[in-house]
Amino acid sequence: MAKTESLKAADLRAQSRGDLNDQVVKLKEELFALRFQAATGQLENHSRLREVRKDIARIYTVLQERNLGIVDDPDREGKAEA
């Protein structure tokens, strides 16, 4: 199993809201598969469960920062200039 790097918050802040939502969907599917493997005893890398959960939380945090206006939304910046 290849080692994947966890997502960085700075990289996530540069992405659009749609990209972040797509990533959440993919990560949730991966998390489901990992939980299924863990339940059947086939999971080899248990630390990946924790990494995926934290990546999902990191994306939700960035989205909430945008909702609260703490961090500028790159989607809105493009609309404000136009």
Side-chain angles (χ1 to χ4, degrees):
M1 184 176 252
K3 183 177 181 336
T4 59
E5 293 190 25
S6 64
L7 303 171
K8 303 280 187 222
D11 297 334
L12 294 173
R13 287 186 184 101
Q15 294 182 8
S16 70
R17 193 175 295 266
D19 291 341
L20 292 175
N21 288 331
D22 291 342
Q23 274 189 315
V24 167
V25 169
K26 287 181 5 185
L27 287 171
K28 282 190 173 189
E29 289 172 358
E30 181 180 357
L31 183 61
F32 175 79
L34 289 171
R35 284 181 175 157
F36 193 85
Q37 289 176 6
T40 59
Q42 298 173 353
L43 185 62
E44 295 176 8
N45 185 3
H46 291 277
S47 65
R48 184 66 186 145
L49 273 168
R50 183 175 187 225
E51 288 175 16
V52 172
R53 280 198 323 263
K54 286 186 176 254
D55 286 343
I56 292 170
R58 211 171 274 121
I59 292 172
Y60 280 146
T61 300
V62 169
L63 289 171
Q64 186 63 13
E65 286 174 346
R66 289 181 185 177
N67 288 340
L68 296 174
I70 297 170
V71 175
D72 293 333
D73 190 350
D75 295 336
R76 290 186 184 164
E77 288 176 4
K79 292 177 184 175
E81 294 173 3

